[in-house]
Amino acid sequence: MASAAPVLTLPSVCPLDCPDACSLEVRVEGDRVVEVGGTRVNPVTDGFICAKVRRMPEHVHGPRRVRYPGIREGRKGEGRFRRVSWDEALSLVAGRLSELSRSGQGERILPFYYGGSNGYISHESADVRLFTRLKALRLARTVCAAPSASAVLGLYGKMPGIALPDYELAKLIVLWGVNPSVSGIHLVPYVLEAKKRGAKLVVVDPRRTRLAEHADLHLALRPGTDLPVALSVIRWLFENGHTDEDFLARHTTGAGELRRRAARWSFEEAARESGAPAADIESFARLYAASSPAALRCGWGLERNRNGGSAVAAVLALPAVAGKFGVRAGGYTMSNSKAWDLEARSASGELPPEGLATREVNMNVLGRELLAKGPDRVDLLFVYNCNPLSTMPNQRKVREGLSREDLFTVVFDPVMTDTAMYADVVLPATTFLERDEMSRGYGAMVLQAGKAVIPPVGESRPNHEVFAELARRTGVARPEDPETAAEMKDAILAKSPSGARYRRELAEAGIAHAFPGTSGPVQFVDIFPLTNDRKAHLVPEELDREAPGGLYAFRPDPATPELPLALISPATDRTISSMLGELHEAQVPVELSPADARARGISEGDEVRVYNELGEVRCLARINDALREGVALLPKGIWRQNTLSADGPNALAPDTFTDLGAGACFNDARVQVERIERPS
Ligand SMILES: Nc1nc2c(c(=O)[nH]1)N[C@H]1C(S)=C(S)[C@@H](COP(=O)(O)OP(=O)(O)OC[C@H]3O[C@@H](n4cnc5c(=O)[nH]c(N)nc54)[C@H](O)[C@@H]3O)O[C@H]1N2
Ligand SMILES: Nc1nc2c(c(=O)[nH]1)N[C@H]1C(S)=C(S)[C@@H](COP(=O)(O)OP(=O)(O)OC[C@H]3O[C@@H](n4cnc5c(=O)[nH]c(N)nc54)[C@H](O)[C@@H]3O)O[C@H]1N2
Ligand SMILES: [Mo]
């Protein structure tokens, strides 16, 4: 029977954790989302979006959607819940929160969140207000970008980078530890256009990515060895007169010290550590010295190991040393999130002074924290905007922690994630299509505000509503607190020096630009480092103190003869971190290079065990000739249904810290792979 539901096409904005911040157009029939596509409101979106967000309708209305609050029945991890009212669920949760907070045990409450949907309204706002006033533990949000943010902050004070559209003007593009074909697809057309206009392309990545197929040079280095490669290029630039002395004198500090620290890295030494041929590293150095504008897109693949912070710092020092700034498309792009002087935390309401700050927990050691006894024991875990069982290191420990019978776990999510299966209370969250949001890109330098396109599915509620209600029920709400999305948005804009302009542009065009009227800023012309003296600090003191052995000190590969393979776990085009993973039932194989597979008698489709001292994953094998020898791959964010043993790469990822920023060392996982013999 034909339905009479009206069909509407409504604008929206993608707030998911991706550089591109797409402007969307959503087709809605009655209360259902039926199609999601891109528009040109954000010029970077250019009318197209990724395949995974096109599947939002299935995510919003799918069978794994959490529609009602639930209280656990059965054992932790079984995922059986009894439907309850919001009132019952919230009074239970608020009761536990109040009990701990009022008895001076706020530090037994761990709020646990990351990006989820990256919007300003949905995190670091009403949530932080609630948990700070309850004197709960504080969370160091270090799972991603902590080492790179430390490096950028130290060298350039988070100066924004080259705008994505400017890449088409470059004569040389370097993609370093980044895979835009998957992780930010709107850069790709600009790269291909630049190539068409004669630009050279260099890719630095342990595997031959899709864009590496188009590259003039591909440095297939061993994971974790970017630092010696970058330092050897820096050494060569200094020794062969390819530095811009005038620029170094006027705009930098620490050039002499950087030169000293790079001196030991000949191309041959860098080749020995990285496995990339010395002649190729030298070709790259010569090409970089000779080309302008040279655009360097630094990604996050190189940060996720013991040397990650120093590696990013050395890579980002390249344009300063070689004098590549000062022209459009010359310089670097890392994260552009700091193009905005917007902050939800300070706008969310009055918070206790810093001096009263509670203990901070590093999210990368969630498992350890949940298993701690004594004064540091966590009694209440509140997870939102995050799926830690899939995404945090040392999965076995996280699972053990979540299994603790005396831990009270709340999971607030739109879908029944692997983590939610371990909850005592599940709360249904709206997706971004069911609530108002304001969000910015960290690649595309645009700010957009989106309105709900359908009513909340089931009884789901947006974050800000639930955290405001919990604040009321725990007695920490104040009459002047901004509560609705509109109030939050107003408060955030009101705190920003540029807020009035953003508000006007949002009202007029639905989009605000960080650098209106241009394709983007020119580094060291329009914008300068946001350091105290407006100079680039090539060996910043604070980073030098923090890094073990000092900044730019190389820590060797953790492989052993028993665990020789480096397991990397990059982004895939199926999911965004683990999000949308519920839509993928198929087995996800571990990928091996042909040589490594042959040496182990492994053929395509075999069942294998991938193991190290932390755990063992049983899965299928795929032979991939795009991987260099010695590197294995299992993508990030896979769910329990995707492997034979119901776990993923994080079962093998150590919970050690990067040299800067105490970030995650996912790609320091060293493993062995073995074929599982079938009894015949
Ligand atoms: N489709 C999709 N898009 C995403 C995401 C997603 O999960 N799916 N995630 C989003 C998030 S949260 C982030 S942080 C970004 C991340 O986006 P990217 O920076 O692209 O990050 P990764 O996919 O982790 O890794 C990029 C590349 O680094 C390579 N790599 C691994 N180890 C090393 C190394 O030691 N050195 C070098 N040079 N390369 C190495 C990998 O092979 C991979 O090709 O993407 C965002 N966009
Ligand atoms: N092995 C390995 N692991 C990795 C990485 C890696 O490279 N290798 N990369 C890491 C990186 S880069 C990142 S950023 C982290 C990300 O790790 P997570 O922060 O866990 O990210 P997601 O898997 O996207 O989980 C976000 C969750 O938030 C939910 N959500 C979305 N919108 C809302 C909302 O409005 N409200 C609420 N309450 N919930 C919402 C989604 O449904 C989803 O379950 O993963 C890390 N994990
Ligand atoms: Mo990330």
Side-chain angles (χ1 to χ4, degrees):
M1 238 181 25
S3 96
V7 181
L8 295 171
T9 301
L10 300 168
S12 184
V13 177
C14 183
L16 300 185
D17 193 342
C18 164
D20 295 359
C22 286
S23 55
L24 304 177
E25 157 177 279
V26 184
R27 219 157 64 85
V28 168
E29 283 180 25
D31 288 351
R32 293 183 72 84
V33 172
V34 294
E35 199 180 333
V36 180
T39 67
R40 294 190 165 75
V41 174
N42 174 1
V44 168
T45 302
D46 197 24
F48 70 96
I49 61 164
C50 63
K52 58 192 180 306
V53 171
R54 284 206 303 271
R55 295 192 67 179
M56 275 303 284
E58 296 161 78
H59 178 72
V60 171
H61 302 290
R64 303 253 338 212
R65 186 69 201 263
V66 182
R67 289 178 164 77
Y68 310 102
I71 292 182
R72 172 165 67 97
E73 290 187 315
R75 286 200 328 277
K76 296 219 175 191
E78 275 179 32
R80 284 197 293 125
F81 298 92
R82 170 172 62 89
R83 179 176 168 182
V84 296
S85 66
W86 268 102
D87 185 57
E88 184 178 346
L90 287 178
S91 59
L92 177 60
V93 175
R96 294 289 182 111
L97 289 170
S98 301
E99 209 176 287
L100 288 168
S101 182
R102 294 218 177 110
S103 61
Q105 301 184 85
E107 292 192 346
R108 296 200 183 271
I109 303 169
L110 178 60
F112 203 86
Y113 65 105
Y114 192 68
S117 303
N118 258 329
Y120 286 106
I121 312 289
S122 58
H123 76 288
E124 303 252 275
S125 53
D127 51 340
V128 172
R129 178 173 75 208
L130 169 72
F131 290 116
T132 312
R133 289 180 187 166
L134 291 173
K135 302 192 178 61
L137 291 163
R138 290 173 309 135
L139 187 72
R141 295 172 59 238
T142 44
V143 73
C144 172
S148 59
S150 294
V152 182
L153 186 66
L155 267 74
Y156 296 103
K158 294 199 174 175
M159 171 173 67
I162 303 169
L164 307 184
D166 280 346
Y167 273 71
E168 54 181 44
L169 304 175
K171 286 282 174 276
L172 170 65
I173 293 176
V174 184
L175 300 176
W176 200 311
V178 68
N179 183 21
S181 311
V182 164
S183 64
I185 60 172
H186 295 86
L187 180 58
V188 176
Y190 301 122
V191 173
L192 297 179
E193 176 60 26
K195 279 228 65 165
K196 219 187 303 165
R197 298 183 191 180
K200 300 272 191 223
L201 177 64
V202 176
V203 173
V204 188
D205 198 300
R207 61 186 173 139
R208 199 172 64 247
T209 55
R210 247 176 277 162
L211 278 170
E213 309 264 356
H214 297 262
D216 299 280
L217 186 61
H218 172 208
L219 296 180
L221 41 61
R222 191 166 167 81
T225 63
D226 304 85
L227 177 60
V229 171
L231 289 176
S232 71
V233 175
I234 288 172
R235 175 203 52 79
W236 182 87
L237 291 166
F238 273 116
E239 286 176 2
N240 292 279
H242 293 293
T243 52
D244 181 339
E245 292 303 321
D246 180 53
F247 178 86
L248 288 174
R250 283 178 46 206
H251 292 297
T252 71
T253 66
E257 186 55 29
L258 173 59
R259 180 177 184 162
R260 269 188 293 284
R261 292 184 191 201
R264 66 170 272 225
W265 291 106
S266 64
F267 292 132
E268 291 68 29
E269 276 297 315
R272 212 179 339 270
E273 294 296 348
S274 69
D280 286 356
I281 307 175
E282 179 167 351
S283 301
F284 167 55
R286 289 181 183 279
L287 190 58
Y288 192 66
S291 312
S292 183
L296 194 162
R297 202 316 177 224
C298 183
W300 292 267
L302 66 162
E303 75 159 30
R304 311 194 200 285
N305 65 77
R306 67 216 174 272
N307 296 312
S310 285
V312 172
V315 169
L316 295 183
L318 282 168
V321 171
K324 298 298 169 190
F325 289 117
V327 290
R328 188 165 290 282
Y332 69 83
T333 312
M334 180 85 237
S335 168
N336 286 331
S337 61
K338 293 295 155 185
W340 305 96
D341 44 13
L342 290 171
E343 214 231 316
R345 178 187 286 266
S346 63
S348 66
E350 200 181 317
L351 300 178
E354 273 300 307
L356 296 178
T358 54
R359 183 167 77 89
E360 186 178 69
V361 165
N362 184 315
M363 70 190 304
N364 293 323
V365 291
L366 173 64
R368 274 194 251 163
E369 290 289 343
L370 293 182
L371 295 173
K373 300 200 166 70
D376 287 346
R377 194 185 71 226
V378 172
D379 290 341
L380 194 160
L381 174 71
F382 195 126
V383 179
Y384 59 102
N385 291 355
C386 198
N387 181 14
L389 186 54
S390 293
T391 54
M392 297 301 131
N394 204 339
Q395 191 175 34
R396 184 154 74 184
K397 275 205 178 136
V398 176
R399 192 189 304 278
E400 270 174 46
L402 290 173
S403 304
R404 249 179 62 198
E405 275 301 328
D406 62 342
L407 177 73
F408 184 75
T409 302
V410 182
V411 178
F412 179 28
D413 203 290
V415 295
M416 185 52 67
T417 61
D418 288 354
T419 306
M421 305 276 278
Y422 285 80
D424 294 280
V425 176
V426 180
L427 301 175
T430 48
T431 69
F432 70 85
L433 294 173
E434 301 147 58
R435 60 179 168 77
D436 297 352
E437 184 58 280
M438 178 168 72
S439 61
R440 49 94 184 117
Y442 57 90
M445 291 188 261
V446 294
L447 177 74
Q448 298 168 95
K451 288 237 164 274
V453 297
I454 52 166
V457 166
E459 292 181 1
S460 64
R461 293 186 185 176
N463 289 14
H464 61 276
E465 264 181 48
V466 170
F467 291 118
E469 177 63 18
L470 283 171
R472 272 191 294 277
R473 287 178 183 242
T474 53
V476 299
R478 298 190 189 155
E480 67 278 12
D481 289 343
E483 286 199 350
T484 65
E487 287 166 0
M488 286 294 314
K489 187 176 136 196
D490 281 345
I492 295 165
L493 290 171
K495 284 255 172 187
S496 159
S498 318
R501 174 170 76 78
Y502 300 157
R503 190 193 306 277
R504 194 176 58 244
E505 290 179 22
L506 286 173
E508 282 166 9
I511 189 164
H513 295 266
F515 298 91
T518 70
S519 54
V522 178
Q523 292 177 308
F524 289 89
V525 173
D526 304 319
I527 49 171
F528 289 86
L530 298 165
T531 51
N532 50 5
D533 56 4
R534 295 287 177 268
K535 290 184 178 187
H537 299 170
L538 299 179
V539 191
E541 227 178 279
E542 63 282 11
L543 301 192
D544 203 30
R545 268 198 307 273
E546 184 186 348
L551 189 62
Y552 306 125
F554 177 68
R555 292 194 273 175
D557 198 294
T560 60
E562 294 72 38
L563 302 172
L565 299 174
L567 180 74
I568 58 172
S569 44
T572 86
D573 53 14
R574 292 183 298 272
T575 61
I576 182 122
S577 292
S578 74
M579 218 187 126
L580 298 157
E582 83 279 7
L583 304 177
H584 299 275
E585 288 296 330
Q587 288 291 304
V588 174
V590 65
E591 298 175 25
L592 297 169
S593 74
D596 287 318
R598 214 176 309 117
R600 289 165 179 76
I602 294 169
S603 314
E604 181 82 16
D606 278 355
E607 285 182 19
V608 295
R609 29 192 305 261
V610 188
Y611 63 91
N612 63 18
E613 70 286 2
L614 300 174
E616 168 181 307
V617 178
R618 276 170 289 121
C619 58
L620 305 181
R622 172 184 296 161
I623 320 274
N624 181 353
D625 72 0
L627 281 177
R628 58 159 292 144
E629 199 178 338
V631 176
L633 186 155
L634 254 178
K636 79 160 156 173
I638 63 183
W639 288 43
R640 61 196 290 164
Q641 71 268 17
N642 299 134
T643 64
L644 303 170
S645 50
D647 47 18
N650 291 7
L652 307 162
D655 55 6
T656 49
F657 293 146
T658 52
D659 52 348
L660 299 176
C665 289
F666 295 111
N667 296 343
D668 272 343
R670 293 297 178 270
V671 301
Q672 185 54 284
V673 183
E674 227 172 63
R675 195 157 67 93
I676 298 174
E677 300 292 342
R678 296 288 200 137
S680 47

